[in-house]
Amino acid sequence: MRGTLPDRVTEDGGPAPCAEPPSRSTLASWPTDTTGILKQITADSHEAVLIADADGRLIEVSRKAPEIFGTGTGMTGAPRHIRDLLPETLEQAAHTVLDAFRTGIEAIGRSGECRIEVAGENRILDYTITPSRLAGPDGAVFICITARDVTVKRRQAHRLEFLSRHDELTGALRRHALLDAIDHQIGNGRGCAVLVLNLHRFKTINLTLGRPVGDMVLKAVAERLADFDPRFAGPARLGADTFALYAPATLSRDALDAAAATLTRIINAPFRLSGISARVGVHIGISSHRPGEATCAERLLDEAEMALDEARKTAGTGIAHFDPAQSARQSRARAIERELWKALDRSEFSLAYQPQVRLSDGCIIGAEALVRWTHSDLGRIGPSDFVEVAEATGFVEDLGRWVLNAACHDAMSWATDITVAVNVSPVQFARGHIVADVRAALDRSGLPAERLTLEITESAFLQPSHALMDSLAALRALGVSLALDDFGTGYASFGYLKRFPLSKIKVDQMFVRTLTTDRASQAVIQSVKVLTDGLGLSLICEGIETEEQRLFLRLIGCQEGQGYLFGKPQRTAELAAYLREQARLRVSAGLYSVRA
Ligand code: C2E
Ligand code: MG
Ligand code: MG
């Protein structure tokens, strides 16, 4: 009859598919023999179910039990005792439960996981042992043992757990697992050091030998790191080609340096991978924590990564320790980068003008515009702190346009024979809008092109393209002068001087600073003077701070100078007032003042 309990068991004794729930009328026709029902349920259970009396004699057993326990295969006849089926550990546990129960600890059962070996393989069983006492005068004691095979489930969970903490490719720890380990270490109070390693030229391996080889290299690197000095734990993989190790103890700076040097050698050694030989370099950043210092894993790792940045930037061993002063500089640099874009809209930029004088009489003939940035929180920020960032982000084009407009506008308030020099970044040339920007600034302000000089550094000429040559020619055609700034500090190829339509060379202050003490600086300036004379260019020396320097430069025939001796960078109104004063003096007495 369909819907009755016996019908719900399939012929092979397996579980019956879910059927419709029985109706009231069918329930009425179900057998009332509960013993029969329980027997059947036990026999059909998908778990191992053993019901036994107080002496371990089996009363009921599920068909699955021998398979789950991996026992009873060679047995003749049906199992009679729990020992016929249960692995030893479970059998002992069952007896323990029974003993406790008999001595009056009524409700004590036991559950848990146990590992058994079946046909040479490990199996994990999830089991429960429940003792029971029949109601009634004799109060007979029974025990029910159930067990499920959870091997696959546990392995999957274990794998997931492993993958959540380890990198799939290399098996190295993931960042959060490394942080946990370091935090634990800091908590132990024994100090901790962290080494962050970044592979150098790894991308080249991926590009030239292919990604599969790249993956093999990464695995091999992780293996080398895992086999490294036992004082170091890990490794962890923090990014594509960035790894970390930590030392769970305080190590001296020398010991860390020595370890990093060894690591560098180990990583540098060629990898021989299925017939291919590959090599990578490495940079290492180190941070260390001493017991008692307040820190956390996140900070320690950040510090090691900052040190790594430094190691990558500076030539040398490729190893750098975290330096707190440098970290303050880096966070300021990051703040500068963030705030720079907003600075134009907030009108935070201004220009300061440094006089340029004729050395023969000290008369001001021009001024260089130097950009200044005043930020509400960061304070006054010098161009050497932000021009490079502005160049890297491309912002220098907007900034440069603003400087050009402001400088041309301001110069209109000065005497008509005073020129204005504006620094132009190579990036402005590379972007290709410089000619249009200059033309617009001249048109808007009404400044004659002859009063504008653009100061360009040598790096603008490193990759001379047709576009660059066209821009330079167009600027000269407008009537603008071009000065080569910081001459002598870069690649200083004399070739530039001939090939590019320059009007002026500006010798770097480095040579002027050492002029009176270093004969080599004197020789350089003298040679540049000869050179500029030969090429028909004018020469200006910057950074003149002393009368001695001025005299020497005058003696060798240098016509123009700039430096604190003649005036520091100042506001346009100050410069305009000074120029008026200069004009008055020239008219009244024919004297020229030199401003110290
Ligand atoms: P630079 O063009 O070589 O400017 C000269 C720098 O030397 C200025 O520094 C100036 O204040 C400083 N200086 C002038 N005379 C003396 C002196 O006698 N002794 C000493 N010790 N220093 C002196 P500043 O204003 O900090 O500018 C640094 C650099 O930033 C400039 O070097 C220039 O390359 C760049 N820069 C400034 N303004 C701009 C700008 O508007 N655009 C671009 N692209 N770069 C700019
Ligand atoms: Mg300059
Ligand atoms: Mg300069």
Side-chain angles (χ1 to χ4, degrees), residues 351 354 368-372 382-384 387 391 396 399 403 422-425 428 455 457 485-486 506 508-509 513 542-545 562-565 569:
L351 289 181
Q354 186 173 34
E368 177 178 7
L370 295 160
V371 68
R372 297 288 176 260
S384 44
V387 168
E391 286 178 335
V396 78
L399 175 65
V403 172
V422 172
N423 292 285
V424 177
S425 157
Q428 289 171 267
E455 293 195 2
T457 51
D485 202 356
D486 303 337
K506 199 168 182 186
D508 191 70
Q509 33 185 297
R513 205 177 302 134
E542 60 179 326
I544 306 174
E545 291 184 357
Q562 181 181 340
Y564 293 167
L565 180 67

Side-chain angles (χ1 to χ4, degrees), residues 20-32:
E20 297 275 304
S23 66
R24 264 176 202 284
S25 56
T26 28
L27 275 177
S29 63
W30 275 22
T32 48

Side-chain angles (χ1 to χ4, degrees), residues 415-433:
T416 51
D417 56 344
I418 304 294
T419 58
V420 62
V422 172
N423 292 285
V424 177
S425 157
V427 176
Q428 289 171 267
F429 276 95
R431 298 233 164 175
H433 302 135

